[in-house]
Structure formats: structure tokens, C-alpha cells
């Protein structure tokens, strides 16, 4: 069971995972050892899945975002696994979701420029049969992040 201090620790770690235990302890009014034990427990119980560095996309040379909306005529488990394998090794595809509604999948693709999308498209269609693919170019990022709400955690 999480308490308010656990939630505050999780929120702070989401904002900046490089904070020292001392800084975290001070911000949540705990001793360093008590805070350290809580962090260890949150990691061991899976609340903290991993700690990562978020890179600047402009500096990394991939400022363009394209969302590829995919329809397929195939819904069998073996096709889904083939599709999963086809996209797994393409680093430009940073997210993939199976959807309800008019499209079956959406891919978030980060690219050096929009023209590079064709390279990614061809990599996918060489490996798996698709019924329809529609792409939309992101014009502006209005909100971005990986932080999730902590108030719902049990």
C-alpha cells in the first residue's frame, strides 16, 4: 500500500530520476535511510520499472514525428507476432499501440525529416502485409512526457 510520501517520491523521481537520495529525503521530510528503504521497496515491488535519460530529439537529429495509422485484414495471433517482430528492430518507431475503432494500430515514428518516413514504411511492408497505411505529420508538440499520475496507485 502506498502512502502520500511514496506518491511524492514517485512524482519527484518521474520529474528527475537523477535526484540524490538526500535531496529526495529532504523534499519528503524523511531521513536518508528511511527514504532509501522506500525507494528500494518501490523498485522491488515494480512501481519504479526503470530509470532512464530522456534525450533531446533535436540534438539527436530526429525532430520530426509521424503517426502511422494502420489497417490490416489479418487478426490472427501469428500475424500479430509477425507484425510485432517487423517493427521491433526499427529504432525510429518509438511507440506502437493496437487500437479499437477504424484503425488497428498506430505507430509513433521519430525521424530526421519527413522524407525519411518512406524508408521506415518500406522496412515494414517488406516484412508484413498491410491493408492500409495512413500517415499524419505532427505540426507541434502540445504536451509530451512519460510521467503518469500517481494518485491511482494502490
Amino acid at each position: 500500500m502506498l502512502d502520500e510520501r511514496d506518491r511524492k517520491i514517485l512524482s519527484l523521481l518521474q520529474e528527475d530520476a537523477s535526484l540524490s537520495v538526500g535531496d529526495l529525503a529532504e523534499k519528503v521530510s524523511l531521513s536518508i535511510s528511511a527514504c532509501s528503504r522506500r525507494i528500494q521497496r518501490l523498485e522491488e515491488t515494480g512501481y519504479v520499472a526503470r530509470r532512464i535519460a530522456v534525450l533531446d530529439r533535436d540534438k539527436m537529429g530526429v525532430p520530426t514525428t509521424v503517426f502511422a495509422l494502420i489497417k490490416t485484414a489479418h487478426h490472427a495471433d501469428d500475424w500479430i507476432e509477425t507484425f510485432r517482430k517487423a517493427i521491433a528492430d526499427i529504432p525510429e518507431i518509438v511507440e506502437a499501440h493496437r487500437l479499437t475503432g477504424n484503425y488497428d494500430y498506430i505507430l509513433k515514428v521519430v525521424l530526421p525529416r519527413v522524407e525519411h518516413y518512406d524508408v521506415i514504411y518500406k522496412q515494414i511492408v517488406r516484412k508484413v502485409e498491410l491493408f492500409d497505411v495512413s500517415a499524419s505529420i505532427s505540426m507541434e508538440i502540445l504536451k509530451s512526457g512519460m510521467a503518469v499520475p500517481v494518485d491511482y496507485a494502490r
Side-chain angles (χ1 to χ4, degrees):
M1 193 82 155
L2 298 182
D3 63 18
E4 284 309 308
R5 282 193 172 128
D6 291 330
R7 287 182 175 82
K8 180 70 173 172
I9 290 169
L10 291 170
S11 289
L12 290 166
L13 286 172
Q14 284 191 112
E15 290 174 26
D16 184 359
S18 70
L19 285 172
S20 70
V21 176
D23 289 340
L24 284 167
E26 184 178 320
K27 290 177 185 283
V28 297
S29 303
L30 286 172
S31 69
I32 291 174
S33 60
C35 187
S36 179
R37 284 191 301 273
R38 282 180 183 248
I39 293 168
Q40 184 176 2
R41 180 177 47 82
L42 291 167
E43 289 173 338
E44 289 172 353
T45 55
Y47 288 98
V48 176
R50 61 191 168 134
R51 296 190 198 194
I52 63 168
V54 178
L55 306 181
D56 182 288
R57 288 184 39 199
D58 286 330
K59 289 185 179 183
M60 298 308 298
V62 287
T64 304
T65 304
V66 173
F67 293 95
L69 295 157
I70 297 172
K71 289 183 184 180
T72 179
H74 307 281
H75 299 281
D77 289 344
D78 60 333
W79 184 93
I80 295 170
E81 189 56 32
T82 300
F83 180 66
R84 186 185 315 270
K85 288 177 182 175
I87 64 173
D89 295 328
I90 302 173
E92 292 88 350
I93 300 173
V94 296
E95 287 187 38
H97 300 266
R98 190 164 58 90
L99 306 173
T100 63
N102 294 329
Y103 290 93
D104 298 306
Y105 299 90
I106 187 169
L107 307 178
K108 180 180 178 182
V109 187
V110 297
L111 303 165
R113 59 190 183 287
V114 73
E115 294 83 5
H116 190 74
Y117 172 70
D118 191 48
V119 173
I120 305 306
Y121 171 82
K122 287 176 182 176
Q123 287 179 5
I124 298 168
V125 298
R126 278 188 209 112
K127 297 176 184 177
V128 66
E129 181 184 347
L130 303 175
F131 177 74
D132 182 45
V133 180
S134 175
S136 294
I137 302 162
S138 173
M139 300 296 291
E140 177 184 11
I141 297 171
L142 301 176
K143 182 177 180 180
S144 178
M146 296 181 60
V148 297
V150 298
D151 294 338
Y152 302 101
R154 292 173 258 127

